[in-house]
């Protein structure tokens, strides 16, 4: 009897302890939710200027990592510009009677494909070390590889070796795309997300602008240094980035998934400055709550998970935004060669190429205005509509009765394409990166961006292959009529955007998780009110009935 009493007392004490522990856990969970909710409220309450003042360090490091995109765009622009560089044409080209030295279309395709084929592989591979070792270590390895592969380009004596170097370098460039986009979306608050992810597009423009300007400076030279010096300049970027990288904070989202909460909090402190409105512990709680929500709705971490459940819709959006971007008719990738083939001289073509990139730079800067006052969806659809009209106008001018004898038409076409570039860089260009960075779940962001970047490269391969054959005098010689193709595709793209492109402006990652989980139509994303935001059970209930 005494033993039974003792056991009963011990069991009662054990039950009481468990109940007490359960109550304490519930209190902690409640406290954590309250902190997370305050963190979410702060994200919405911050003004643009307050967000910049508080998170200027995060903005700096996001821009710093995105400098790698300048390097990538610079090297890719070499392919298009060098086709029209006299010294490069004579060193690696073939003489066509009546047209002078030209790089054969098949080699243009092979060289241009290098970066894109490599990007398909590099983007897919990059997600694995990014999740295992972090964003910073993966980035450092890529920078070292770029410095090594630049030697191969610099000392190339045949176009075959040069093409091989493009393919190998392309693998690394594909990694930069995934790292820069993922990092920018993970170190910035809600108010700065649009600007700094859109800045990635500005880096592309800057890389293209710098490369075109440097090539123009050497256009009169006819020796090998006319193209070797532009190759050598690529060594500048890895040096700058490797020196600054040790001081950059790691992504707090990645640290949370590694259960390194103290490191995540330290990272948040490095990304922000002390301010009465922001508590890093509340921000951390908000991020942990988002991660827990994704566990509840069973968001996986593999490539296969990107194609299951609500993630399939997210994947569709990210992929098609890049596809639309590639088939929108923006001639930046082969602008100089395009201008040359519609009848302008090499010098005029390069001058317009520089002007095109300059206007694109201005357009990307101006994209900040619609990002503040209008939503992503509105700006994207309006921009795509303007692009459709411009493309068909450029193509139809080719049928003017005196088109072959009147150079005015060529200048009008060139001017319209510069206008198109301004519209494109103000809307489609930056908004693609903004929405692609905002749309994926936090657990699948790197892999979703990696897959979308690979598809971006694959569709880019299509335009790269057909572009030279449609423009080259030794092939179709279509000239400006090529815009009929892109105009028709852009009409289809516009239709898709109206029905499938959601509004992501002003939504935290947790809110976006809920909107996608509930199957909210794209046109209702902006106005949809999450009335039961703090009710964990109610959050998931509508999704189960859909």
């Amino acid at each position: 009897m005494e033993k039974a009493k003792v056991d009963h007392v011990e069991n009662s004490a054990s039950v009481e302890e468990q109940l007490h522990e359960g109550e304490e856990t519930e209190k902690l969970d409640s406290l954590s939710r309250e902190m997370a909710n305050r963190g979410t409220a702060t994200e919405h309450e911050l003004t643009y200027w307050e967000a910049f003042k508080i998170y200027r360090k995060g903005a700096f490091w996001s821009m710093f990592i995105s400098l790698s995109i300048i390097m990538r765009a610079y090297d890719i622009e070499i392919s298009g510009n060098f086709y029209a560089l006299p010294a490069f044409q004579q060193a690696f080209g073939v003489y066509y009677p009546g047209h002078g030295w030209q790089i054969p279309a098949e080699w243009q395709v092979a060289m241009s494909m290098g970066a894109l084929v490599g990007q398909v592989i590099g983007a897919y591979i990059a997600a694995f070390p990014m999740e295992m070792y972090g964003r910073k270590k993966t980035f450092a390895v890529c920078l070292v590889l770029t410095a090594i592969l630049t030697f191969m380009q610099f000392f190339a004596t045949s176009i075959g070796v040069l093409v091989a170097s493009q393919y190998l370098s392309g693998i690394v460039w594909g990694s930069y795309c995934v790292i820069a986009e993922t990092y920018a979306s993970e170190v910035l608050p809600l108010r700065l997300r649009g600007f700094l992810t859109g800045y990635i597009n500005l880096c592309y423009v800057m890389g293209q602008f710098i490369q075109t300007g440097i090539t123009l400076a050497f256009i009169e030279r006819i020796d090998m240094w006319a193209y070797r010096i532009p190759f050598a300049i690529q060594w500048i970027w890895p040096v700058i980035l490797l020196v600054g990288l040790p001081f950059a904070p790691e992504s707090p989202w990645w640290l949370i998934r590694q259960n390194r909460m103290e490191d995540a909090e330290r990272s948040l402190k490095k990304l922000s400055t002390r301010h009465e409105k922001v508590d890093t512990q509340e921000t951390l709680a908000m991020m942990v709550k988002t991660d827990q929500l994704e566990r509840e709705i069973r968001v996986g971490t593999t490539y296969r998970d990107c194609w299951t459940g609500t993630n399939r819709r997210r994947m569709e959006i990210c992929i098609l935004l890049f596809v639309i971007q590639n088939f929108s008719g923006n001639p930046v990738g082969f602008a100089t060669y395009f201008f040359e083939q519609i009848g302008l001289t090499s010098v005029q073509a390069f001058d317009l190429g520089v002007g095109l990139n300059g206007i694109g730079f201005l357009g990307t800067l101006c994209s900040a205005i619609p990002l503040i006052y209008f939503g992503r969806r509105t700006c994207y659809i309006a921009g795509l509509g303007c692009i459709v009209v411009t493309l068909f106008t450029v193509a139809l001018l080719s049928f003017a009765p005196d088109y072959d004898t009147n150079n005015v038409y060529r200048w009008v076409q060139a001017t319209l394409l510069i206008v198109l570039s301004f519209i494109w860089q103000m809307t489609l260009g930056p908004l693609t990166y903004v929405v692609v960075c905002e749309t994926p779940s936090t657990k699948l962001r790197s892999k979703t961006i990696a897959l979308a970047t690979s598809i971006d490269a694959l569709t880019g391969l299509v335009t790269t292959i057909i572009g030279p054959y449609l423009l080259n005098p030794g092939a179709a010689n279509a000239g400006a009529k090529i815009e009929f193709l892109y105009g028709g595709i852009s009409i289809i793209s516009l239709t898709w955007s109206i029905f499938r492109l959601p509004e992501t402006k002003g939504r935290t990652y947790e809110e976006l998780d809920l909107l996608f989980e509930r199957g909210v139509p794209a046109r209702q994303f902006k106005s949809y009110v999450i009335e039961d935001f703090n009710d964990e059970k109610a959050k998931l209930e509508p999704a189960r009935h859909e």
Side-chain angles (χ1 to χ4, degrees):
M1 284 291 293
E2 292 296 325
K3 185 172 185 280
K5 286 182 179 179
V6 171
D7 290 342
H8 177 71
V9 170
E10 288 180 352
N11 290 337
S12 298
S14 177
V15 170
E16 287 178 3
E17 287 176 3
Q18 289 177 15
L19 289 172
H20 179 69
E21 288 176 1
E23 289 173 359
E24 290 297 317
T25 302
E26 188 175 341
K27 288 179 182 177
L28 287 172
D29 289 342
S30 177
L31 179 62
S32 177
R33 285 197 296 271
E34 288 177 8
M35 292 177 65
N37 293 337
R38 288 198 296 270
T40 300
T42 300
E43 287 273 292
H44 285 289
E45 290 169 3
L46 287 178
T47 65
Y48 290 102
W49 179 241
E50 285 175 335
F52 178 75
K53 285 197 300 182
I54 297 169
Y55 290 95
R56 58 180 178 271
K57 293 179 183 177
F60 170 80
W61 289 116
S62 172
M63 295 171 71
F64 179 81
I65 298 296
S66 295
L67 288 177
S68 60
I69 301 299
I70 296 180
M71 174 171 56
R72 175 186 180 274
Y74 178 96
D75 201 285
I76 290 178
E77 189 72 3
I78 282 177
S79 300
N81 283 339
F82 278 13
Y83 299 153
L85 184 68
F88 189 82
Q89 289 174 332
Q90 291 184 33
F92 300 104
V94 174
Y95 186 80
Y96 288 92
H99 295 281
W101 291 94
Q102 298 278 336
I103 303 297
E106 59 270 20
W107 280 112
Q108 287 188 31
V109 171
M111 187 173 176
S112 299
M113 282 175 59
L116 297 171
V117 171
Q119 181 176 310
V120 174
I121 301 170
Y124 182 83
I125 293 174
F128 293 105
M130 283 175 66
E131 292 303 321
M132 291 178 63
Y133 305 110
R135 283 60 169 137
K136 285 178 60 178
K137 290 181 180 179
T138 305
F139 190 56
V141 172
C142 290
L143 292 171
V144 173
L145 290 174
T146 293
I148 294 171
L149 290 170
T150 299
F151 279 96
M152 190 174 179
Q153 295 179 342
F154 182 80
F155 290 106
T157 55
S158 69
I159 195 168
V161 173
L162 197 56
V163 167
S165 71
Q166 293 291 105
Y167 279 81
L168 293 174
S169 297
I171 296 175
V172 184
W173 299 333
S175 302
Y176 290 138
C177 298
V178 181
I179 295 169
E181 293 172 39
T182 303
Y183 188 84
S185 63
E186 293 182 338
V187 300
L188 298 168
L190 177 64
R191 294 297 179 197
L192 298 183
R193 235 166 41 196
F195 298 115
L196 276 300
T197 51
Y199 167 78
I200 293 172
N201 184 72
L202 183 62
C203 289
Y204 276 104
V205 177
M206 287 192 288
Q208 293 162 350
F209 186 81
I210 292 169
Q211 207 295 309
T212 302
I214 289 173
T215 304
L216 180 60
F218 291 96
I219 194 170
E220 301 295 339
R221 294 191 65 147
I222 57 172
D223 60 3
M224 65 180 180
W225 295 107
Y227 52 88
R228 279 196 170 180
I229 291 176
F231 277 133
I233 290 173
Q234 292 177 106
W235 277 310
I236 295 174
W237 309 111
V239 173
I240 294 173
L241 291 168
L242 282 170
V243 169
L245 187 59
F247 303 100
E250 183 56 89
S251 163
W253 286 99
W254 180 77
L255 292 170
I256 286 171
R257 287 194 293 277
Q258 304 302 309
N259 292 318
R260 294 166 55 181
M261 297 303 172
E262 291 182 2
D263 290 337
E265 187 174 356
R266 278 194 292 270
S267 179
L268 285 171
K269 289 179 179 178
K270 289 181 180 180
L271 293 167
S272 61
T273 55
R274 287 189 177 183
H275 194 276
E276 59 183 9
K277 280 193 173 185
V278 175
D279 185 332
T280 53
Q281 290 187 344
E282 292 178 355
T283 305
L284 182 64
M286 176 191 67
M287 296 166 73
V288 171
K289 185 184 176 188
T290 303
D291 185 64
Q292 289 176 342
L293 172 64
E294 293 185 356
R295 292 176 188 274
E296 289 176 16
I297 59 180
R298 297 176 183 177
V299 174
T301 58
T302 67
Y303 274 117
R304 183 178 179 180
D305 293 318
C306 293
W307 301 99
T308 59
T310 58
N311 291 313
R312 189 187 304 114
R313 182 183 176 190
R314 296 181 175 200
M315 194 76 253
E316 173 205 333
I317 293 166
C318 294
I319 287 175
L320 286 182
L321 285 175
F322 276 126
V323 173
I324 291 170
Q325 197 180 59
N326 282 325
F327 286 101
S328 60
N330 185 29
V332 168
F334 54 91
T336 304
Y337 188 69
F338 179 88
F339 292 142
E340 195 175 53
Q341 296 310 311
I342 64 173
L344 303 180
T345 65
S346 295
V347 175
Q348 290 172 334
F350 269 100
D351 286 339
L352 279 176
V354 173
L356 184 78
N357 288 320
I359 289 295
F361 182 86
L362 179 63
T364 307
L365 292 179
C366 291
S367 67
I369 299 172
L371 277 174
I372 294 174
Y373 295 104
F374 306 100
R376 281 70 157 137
R377 173 184 163 86
T378 302
C379 296
Y380 193 92
I381 291 174
L384 192 53
C386 292
I387 286 171
V388 169
V389 174
T390 306
L391 288 172
F392 278 105
T393 303
V394 170
L396 288 170
L397 283 172
S398 301
F399 293 94
D402 55 343
Y403 179 80
D404 293 331
T405 58
N406 192 342
N407 283 334
V408 172
Y409 292 112
R410 292 175 174 81
W411 283 105
V412 170
Q413 287 175 320
T415 303
L416 285 172
L417 288 175
I418 291 175
V419 172
L420 182 148
S421 181
F422 178 82
I423 297 171
W424 194 93
Q425 299 292 1
M426 191 176 177
T427 54
L428 265 67
L431 285 173
T432 294
Y433 295 101
V434 173
V435 179
V436 166
C437 288
E438 291 178 334
T439 300
S441 62
T442 59
K443 292 177 71 176
L444 285 173
R445 181 173 291 117
S446 62
K447 287 185 170 62
T448 302
I449 292 175
L451 284 174
T453 303
S454 295
I455 300 298
D456 174 33
L458 287 171
T459 52
L461 277 173
V462 176
T463 58
T464 300
I465 291 171
I466 66 175
Y469 281 105
L470 290 173
L471 292 173
N472 197 285
N477 196 24
K481 297 184 186 72
I482 192 176
E483 305 300 9
F484 275 124
L485 172 64
Y486 293 125
I489 295 173
S490 294
I491 290 176
I492 299 172
S493 302
L494 181 60
T495 304
W496 175 87
S497 301
I498 292 171
F499 291 100
R500 298 294 289 172
L501 181 64
E503 178 57 73
T504 57
K505 181 177 182 287
R507 297 290 192 179
T508 65
Y509 291 133
E510 184 181 15
E511 290 169 340
L512 288 171
D513 282 340
L514 292 173
L515 291 172
F516 280 110
E517 183 67 16
R518 294 180 176 186
V520 177
R523 287 172 289 181
Q524 295 180 18
F525 260 58
K526 182 178 180 179
S527 58
Y528 189 87
V529 178
I530 306 175
E531 295 178 350
D532 52 354
F533 186 74
N534 296 320
D535 188 345
E536 296 294 328
K537 291 183 179 179
K539 281 179 185 177
L540 303 178
E541 198 64 31
R544 295 193 182 107
H545 293 295
E546 289 177 358

